Amino acid sequence: MPIIKLNQQFIKNDLQCPEGKTRIEYCDADLPGLYVEVRATSPGQGTYYLRYKDKTSKTCHQKLARTENISLTDARKKSKVLKAGIALGADPRAEEKARKAVPTYTEFFEQHYLPYAKPRKRSWGKDEEMFRLRLKAKFGHQRLNQITRQGIQMFHTSLKEQGLSASTCNHYIKLIKHSLNLAIDWEMLEINPAVRVPLYHEDNKKENYLNDSELEQLMGVLRFDENRIVCMIITYLLSTGARLNEALAARWDQVNIERRVWKIPASNSKSKRVRAVPLNDSAIDVLNQLDTGDEFDYLFINKKTGEPYTTIHKVWGRLRRKAGLTHLRIHDLRHQYASFLVNSGRTLYEVQQILGHSDPSVTQRYAHLSTEALQDAANSASIKIKEAMQN
């Protein structure tokens, strides 16, 4: 370890490792602790280090920068700042180790968040899907304490630019915020950067109702398209008002065709309560067409994999385009079922019970349909009056 009076000319021209050695340290005579390490594999280049002792008197080496990246003057300034901090009790090497000990978002999500969420959250599969599709590429390589509020905000904006709905964009931010809150609870993170990231405020109560012509277009596609099983799933949703995840998780032991009832267990119900769904003729027709009862536990089986369906969105996109109904969402089928009930004279209370709304205010969104039905009833009196006037 030769001690020499380092200068910029030496740094520029004399960084060589003696023959027969793999490395050498050139120590600065003007600033004790500062040295330049030169390796035989990189002649003409070196790395600035600061040598110091920690609280236990152990010798530590803090890397400053490569010689091609900063000047000797800047390396000395940086060394003086570090030495001042060390004199006050700081330990830059320990701090760097602590920073590196923080897991990446991928490590945290896969090794800590998912094992926690699986037994506690019914929608953990959706969380895993969102992480795999977009979160991993954006934040997976970053350590938890490297994720910034600005980065999350820009990610949120980019989702909207990709054409995702406001609700879907917000779900990503909610997942990030929830997962990082857990990281704080588990003492892996001090501050949640997702806090105060504003969500999109757009009306998520939009409903698309089919008129008679559009309903005929949809049913024509569902009757004859070659993907029979997905067509039956769609018909089943339209016939029961069920949510997609409820139908895909439906098992044969939950269905009683004779009593015409389908019992959805609390584990699959959004309200977390058992719900009995009455099965009408079109729903029974779907069940009678299925050939999965003797071999499988679930109603709707993907025959290519032998496993129950977990998603049908890709096929649904093709079906609705084929029907000329690109605006129609899968959840709109649930609204359409509700419109069938209300327009046939059923009360909002009956709709609430069949759809499984725990809060009556949710069912109130269909109140305008009830008004339309009453208007039709009132018009029947008008018809009688006009007929009498013509006589």
Side-chain angles (χ1 to χ4, degrees):
M1 295 190 301
I3 300 175
I4 62 176
K5 190 176 181 66
L6 292 177
N7 56 54
Q8 194 59 43
Q9 182 177 358
F10 181 87
I11 298 297
K12 184 177 180 180
N13 301 318
D14 299 315
L15 294 182
Q16 301 292 330
C17 186
E19 187 175 350
K21 289 189 175 184
T22 58
R23 59 182 293 278
I24 188 172
E25 296 175 3
Y26 292 106
C27 301
D28 188 11
D30 291 341
L31 186 61
L34 175 64
Y35 69 89
V36 180
E37 180 193 67
V38 181
R39 293 182 177 273
T41 54
S42 302
Q45 298 177 339
T47 304
Y48 293 112
Y49 282 90
L50 176 66
R51 182 186 289 107
Y52 71 96
K53 290 185 181 294
D54 64 13
K55 296 178 181 179
T56 64
S57 296
K58 178 183 177 182
T59 300
C60 302
H61 304 262
Q62 177 61 39
K63 181 179 178 180
L64 304 178
R66 297 284 295 171
T67 55
E68 62 266 31
N69 293 333
I70 65 172
S71 65
L72 175 61
T73 300
D74 289 338
R76 283 175 172 153
K77 289 180 180 178
K78 193 170 183 178
S79 296
K80 289 177 181 179
V81 171
L82 287 175
K83 291 185 74 172
I86 293 168
L88 294 174
D91 188 347
R93 192 78 188 119
E95 292 168 4
E96 183 176 338
K97 287 181 178 180
R99 284 194 298 273
K100 290 183 177 180
V102 176
T104 65
Y105 192 59
T106 291
E107 293 170 341
F108 169 76
F109 198 91
E110 295 179 346
Q111 299 173 19
H112 300 277
Y113 177 76
L114 281 181
Y116 173 84
K118 284 181 179 180
R120 295 174 173 85
K121 190 176 181 183
R122 287 179 298 171
S123 60
W124 70 266
K126 185 65 177 178
D127 291 352
E128 190 278 333
E129 181 183 41
M130 289 194 290
F131 174 76
R132 176 170 41 82
L133 291 179
R134 292 181 175 85
L135 291 177
K136 186 173 184 178
K138 179 64 180 179
F139 301 109
H141 64 287
Q142 298 183 22
R143 299 190 182 280
L144 297 183
N145 55 2
Q146 294 176 325
I147 299 174
T148 65
R149 181 176 292 116
Q150 182 185 22
I152 296 173
Q153 180 67 74
M154 292 177 64
F155 171 72
H156 194 210
T157 302
S158 71
L159 295 179
K160 194 69 179 295
E161 293 172 348
Q162 293 172 34
L164 273 65
S165 69
S167 176
T168 300
C169 296
N170 290 342
H171 280 315
Y172 275 95
I173 301 306
K174 290 176 183 177
L175 175 56
I176 295 173
K177 185 182 295 184
H178 174 57
S179 63
L180 294 184
N181 276 337
L182 288 175
I184 293 175
D185 291 343
W186 298 332
E187 299 182 350
M188 298 179 178
L189 189 65
E190 293 185 1
I191 299 174
N192 190 337
V195 172
R196 300 206 325 269
V197 173
L199 301 179
Y200 294 120
H201 295 288
E202 294 189 11
D203 184 10
N204 64 347
K205 295 183 179 179
K206 178 178 64 176
E207 295 138 13
N208 298 309
Y209 295 105
L210 300 174
N211 57 38
D212 291 344
S213 176
E214 291 172 330
L215 181 60
E216 289 179 6
Q217 291 172 222
L218 176 61
M219 297 313 299
V221 170
L222 297 181
R223 284 178 60 195
F224 298 110
D225 189 84
E226 65 274 7
N227 194 323
R228 299 309 309 144
I229 188 66
V230 173
C231 289
M232 285 190 279
I233 293 173
I234 298 299
T235 305
Y236 193 72
L237 294 176
L238 191 59
S239 302
T240 60
R243 300 177 179 88
L244 177 60
N245 67 300
E246 293 172 340
L248 297 185
R251 301 166 60 99
W252 282 108
D253 59 8
Q254 298 164 359
V255 173
N256 189 321
I257 294 180
E258 291 183 2
R259 295 182 58 192
R260 299 170 70 92
V261 65
W262 165 34
K263 185 174 289 186
I264 300 178
S267 58
N268 295 342
S269 174
K270 186 177 181 179
S271 64
K272 298 183 180 179
R273 290 185 289 186
V274 176
R275 184 163 108 251
V277 178
L279 297 173
N280 53 29
D281 290 344
S282 54
I284 295 294
D285 287 342
V286 170
L287 296 177
N288 287 335
Q289 291 178 59
L290 294 175
D291 58 357
T292 56
D294 295 333
E295 186 178 355
F296 300 98
D297 294 330
Y298 292 87
L299 269 61
F300 302 108
I301 299 294
N302 185 330
K303 291 301 182 65
K304 292 182 179 180
T305 63
E307 298 292 331
Y309 276 86
T310 57
T311 181
I312 60 169
H313 286 87
K314 185 176 181 179
V315 179
W316 167 242
R318 179 180 65 77
L319 293 174
R320 65 180 179 176
R321 288 192 300 271
K322 189 175 179 180
L325 302 169
T326 55
H327 64 286
L328 192 65
R329 306 163 302 176
I330 285 181
H331 199 69
D332 288 327
L333 303 175
R334 180 170 166 85
H335 300 315
Q336 186 66 37
Y337 176 78
S339 76
F340 291 153
L341 299 181
V342 175
N343 287 327
S344 65
R346 313 320 300 183
T347 67
L348 291 181
Y349 175 78
E350 290 172 309
V351 175
Q352 176 192 346
Q353 296 304 308
I354 293 175
L355 293 184
H357 292 155
S358 56
D359 187 346
S361 64
V362 178
T363 318
Q364 285 298 316
R365 66 166 60 184
Y366 304 115
H368 69 284
L369 298 174
S370 180
T371 302
E372 292 175 8
L374 292 174
Q375 184 64 55
D376 290 340
N379 285 338
S380 64
S382 176
I383 293 173
K384 291 293 184 181
I385 294 172
K386 288 183 177 180
E387 288 177 350
M389 290 176 64
Q390 292 174 359
N391 294 334

